[in-house]
Amino acid sequence: MSFLAQTGGLSSGQAGTSEVQSLRAAWEATELPAGDFADLVALFYGLPRITLPQLMAATPQLAGFSTRFLREMGVMPYRAANGTLCLATGDPSDLAATRAAELVLDSTIALTIASFEDIASVLAQRLGEADAPLEEAAPSTVEPLVEDLENLRDLASGAPVVRAVNDIFEKAIELRASDIHIGPFRNGIEVRMRVDGLLRTVTAPAGVLPRAIISRIKILAGLDIAERRLPQDGAARLKLSRDELDVRVAIMPTQHGEAAVIRLLPRDRGQLSVEKLGLAAHDQAKLTDLMTLPHGMIVVTGPTGSGKTTTLATILSALNEPSRKILTIEDPVEYEIRGIHQSQVKPSIGLTFATALRAFVRHDPDVIMVGEVRDAETAHVAVHAALTGHLVLTTLHTETAAAAVPRMLDLGVEAFLLKSVLRAVIAQRLVRQLCERCRRARVLTGSDLVADPRYAAVGFKPGETVYEPHGCERCGGAGYRGRVGAFEILVFDERLREMIEEKSGGTALDRAAVAGGMTTMFDDGMAKCRAGITSPAEVLRVTTLR
């Protein structure tokens, strides 16, 4: 009731669009979740409320509607299970949209209330499945040529474009996105955001030119808006309402214009601690022991986006004491840690990983972190830094922990040197966590194992409980919210060191490590399944049984 009071005492039945506008203004002032706002609109107008899972399950009625109309009006026509034609809307006071939908459907329709975000999510999915006439019905937004650079700069600095770009960033923060992908196509622009490792399409800004949006992003990142033929990279620091974040921008020319990928790096990432990484108790004990080593090399492996930088930053935070001097060379610096001297590579002026490492050893460090071993020169300098009494932390791109050894040998590191310095390799992947609000438990039966052989293949037996995603408004219908690591920590004992000198392959090292008690990423992920943290399907998506 206190929320409704902020609208100025509106009563149901008032005409015009002021009601929802006032409600929405109050919603923005109180930062009410989108679903709760939709609940209040439904209550205020006395209309049925439809949730995201219900809307996803409904039969869409998109024939005759243009893509632009549906997205700009924020409506979703569908047929209910009882055959009634309905229109899901976030603004029931928009009589023009309702009347237009009735004309297209040639029938009266029943209004239902959904949140604006839910409607955008369903439209993003359904419009991708719709027939070609939908795209043909959308008016062409091919932009005119803008030859005058000053006009383009003025356009990119105008209020509509600035507002559109800010809305994109604010939506990304709301969804907890790590990246924003903006790409031009023949009939407009597409915006996708990577949430918990997977891309999700969101509503693109309407009424602004794609080139103006890209130019605005280039201006923020300090890039040349006149250069449209070559890739460009830049960075910026933004402040949006109460959020402050660093962004990395990559621009790439494509067939229909320039595309942008923006990596979001929130400055306030909370306290980094080993306990929050998601390590099993025995692996956390191994990592704690490794952090007490006075010298040697610890390598973190995994593909791009597997959380290697977060793991390294967490280890550095744990090692960050006044008695230690810690130096890092990174590309880029993603976590700013007080008390640690952090540098960023600048190849254009000759500051590479290798040159920075050579300089580091003259600054009397105790711990050195190298963002990535990419070439033979960096590998050799890192190994020699570890040999001279420093603890060196770095990353590699390999599939498993054991595969880091042949990779280092391929880079030209001598086997006897690698044997002397390599202390451990940590391999990891990120799996999505089940949404705690909507996850569902299921007790497996014999028929379940027959119907889906994957359960038996990964070691589940009848009577065991698995947790599966369902989908709710909190997780945006995905069934997952947030990510956690699946790890394997390979600590080199005497036998494994001898295998390094013998130049044994990664498979042989992996078998010996498992025989010695190493838990693989797959096994760690399945343990998280049994604990209800993630699902078997998610573990199988990012890891392999071996």
Side-chain angles (χ1 to χ4, degrees):
M1 296 300 294
S2 59
F3 173 80
L4 289 174
Q6 297 184 52
T7 65
L10 294 171
S11 61
S12 65
Q14 287 180 312
T17 61
S18 60
E19 299 96 326
V20 169
Q21 290 174 354
S22 299
L23 283 168
R24 195 166 190 177
W27 166 45
E28 292 171 350
T30 58
E31 299 181 358
L32 196 69
D36 293 347
F37 173 68
D39 291 340
L40 286 171
V41 172
L43 178 64
F44 182 75
Y45 283 94
L47 293 172
R49 172 80 164 90
I50 184 168
T51 63
L52 179 60
Q54 293 171 330
L55 199 55
M56 296 286 281
T59 303
Q61 300 291 310
L62 303 181
F65 290 93
S66 73
T67 301
R68 184 173 183 177
F69 170 82
L70 294 172
R71 285 179 170 159
E72 289 188 359
M73 295 296 101
V75 294
M76 173 64 190
Y78 67 95
R79 188 177 295 276
N82 61 4
T84 304
L85 284 173
C86 301
L87 186 71
T89 178
D91 184 359
S93 65
D94 189 351
L95 301 180
T98 304
R99 179 58 182 155
E102 289 179 335
L103 289 173
V104 171
L105 296 172
D106 193 22
S107 173
T108 58
I109 56 176
L111 290 181
T112 59
I113 303 300
S115 71
F116 295 103
E117 285 77 3
D118 289 352
I119 293 173
S121 297
V122 175
L123 287 176
Q125 176 176 326
R126 297 302 187 189
L127 292 177
E129 300 171 354
D131 296 331
L134 272 175
E135 282 301 324
E136 296 171 1
S140 173
T141 57
V142 177
E143 58 190 284
L145 292 176
V146 184
E147 300 295 345
D148 188 343
L149 183 60
E150 290 304 318
N151 288 344
L152 180 60
R153 190 183 300 276
D154 292 342
L155 181 65
S157 301
V161 177
V162 171
R163 189 181 306 113
V165 172
N166 286 346
D167 287 344
I168 291 174
F169 282 117
E170 288 173 359
K171 183 66 175 179
I173 292 172
E174 177 187 337
L175 293 176
R176 303 171 296 104
S178 60
D179 301 86
I180 303 171
H181 293 242
I182 302 175
F185 292 94
R186 184 182 300 275
N187 292 321
I189 193 169
E190 180 185 62
V191 179
R192 294 186 293 172
M193 298 183 182
R194 192 173 295 279
V195 181
D196 295 336
L198 297 181
L199 286 174
R200 180 185 300 180
T201 302
V202 300
T203 304
V208 292
L209 295 177
R211 183 180 295 178
I213 291 178
I214 297 297
S215 296
R216 173 62 183 170
I217 293 169
K218 291 166 77 172
I219 289 172
L220 290 174
L223 302 179
D224 182 4
I225 65 172
E227 179 55 73
R228 303 167 194 161
R229 302 166 299 169
L230 297 173
Q232 296 187 67
D233 295 314
R237 179 166 293 175
L238 306 177
K239 188 170 185 180
L240 300 169
S241 62
R242 296 175 302 174
D243 298 293
E244 189 171 356
L245 68 158
D246 294 331
V247 299
R248 284 161 43 199
V249 177
I251 304 293
M252 172 65 69
T254 67
Q255 182 180 5
H256 298 292
E258 291 178 297
V261 176
I262 306 165
R263 168 65 59 88
L264 305 180
L265 307 170
R267 303 195 68 202
D268 182 13
R269 296 193 175 200
Q271 185 177 3
L272 296 168
S273 65
V274 174
E275 292 76 14
K276 294 181 180 180
L277 289 176
L279 290 161
H282 59 279
D283 282 338
Q284 185 172 320
K286 287 181 184 179
L287 182 57
T288 302
D289 290 340
L290 290 170
M291 290 190 297
T292 63
L293 294 174
H295 51 77
M297 177 181 283
I298 300 173
V299 179
V300 182
T301 74
T304 301
S306 60
K308 300 187 299 297
T309 301
T310 300
T311 298
L312 282 179
T314 301
I315 295 173
L316 290 175
S317 295
L319 293 172
N320 188 19
E321 298 176 352
S323 59
R324 289 193 183 97
K325 182 170 184 179
I326 302 176
L327 301 176
T328 76
I329 178 69
E330 306 171 56
D331 184 22
V333 176
E334 294 192 14
Y335 290 88
E336 294 183 12
I337 306 174
R338 183 178 179 84
I340 296 178
H341 300 278
Q342 298 172 267
S343 303
Q344 181 166 322
V345 298
K346 297 178 182 177
S348 60
I349 60 173
L351 180 57
T352 63
F353 286 121
T355 55
L357 271 173
R358 290 192 180 93
F360 280 179
V361 296
R362 296 191 292 272
H363 283 255
D364 189 30
D366 298 293
V367 181
I368 296 173
M369 193 272 269
V370 186
E372 183 184 344
V373 172
R374 296 176 178 173
D375 50 50
E377 185 183 13
T378 305
H380 280 88
V381 178
V383 167
H384 282 88
L387 280 170
T388 54
H390 305 95
L391 181 61
V392 177
L393 309 175
T394 190
T395 72
L396 276 175
H397 286 115
T398 61
E399 285 293 317
T400 64
V405 172
R407 174 61 179 152
M408 292 292 285
L409 296 175
D410 288 342
L411 289 172
V413 178
E414 296 290 343
F416 73 93
L417 292 178
L418 189 61
K419 166 190 172 182
S420 301
V421 302
L422 190 57
R423 298 290 180 261
V425 181
I426 304 169
Q428 67 180 84
R429 300 289 188 276
L430 290 177
V431 296
R432 292 181 295 169
Q433 296 185 87
L434 289 167
C435 176
E436 294 182 356
R437 181 177 295 180
C438 66
R439 67 178 183 178
R440 289 185 175 179
R442 181 156 69 96
V443 178
L444 293 176
T445 63
S447 58
D448 290 328
L449 272 63
V450 173
D452 192 345
R454 292 180 301 175
Y455 286 122
V458 299
F460 279 104
K461 298 178 181 178
E464 287 194 81
T465 300
V466 296
Y467 292 84
E468 298 175 335
H470 178 60
C472 66
E473 293 186 9
R474 179 174 180 268
C475 60
Y480 298 93
R481 184 179 173 86
R483 291 188 291 176
V484 68
F487 297 89
E488 64 185 34
I489 300 182
L490 172 53
V491 179
F492 287 87
D493 56 19
E494 192 59 38
R495 172 57 187 148
L496 292 175
R497 292 193 186 96
E498 292 300 326
M499 293 181 71
I500 293 177
E501 192 161 19
E502 295 166 3
K503 297 186 178 180
S504 300
T507 302
L509 282 166
D510 190 64
R511 289 173 180 167
V514 172
M518 182 186 77
T519 300
T520 66
M521 287 182 286
F522 179 83
D523 291 335
D524 186 42
M526 296 313 296
K528 289 178 169 64
C529 288
R530 290 182 166 86
I533 297 173
T534 189
S535 66
E538 183 66 10
V539 175
L540 290 170
R541 183 179 68 86
V542 300
T543 66
T544 56
L545 177 63
R546 63 181 198 269

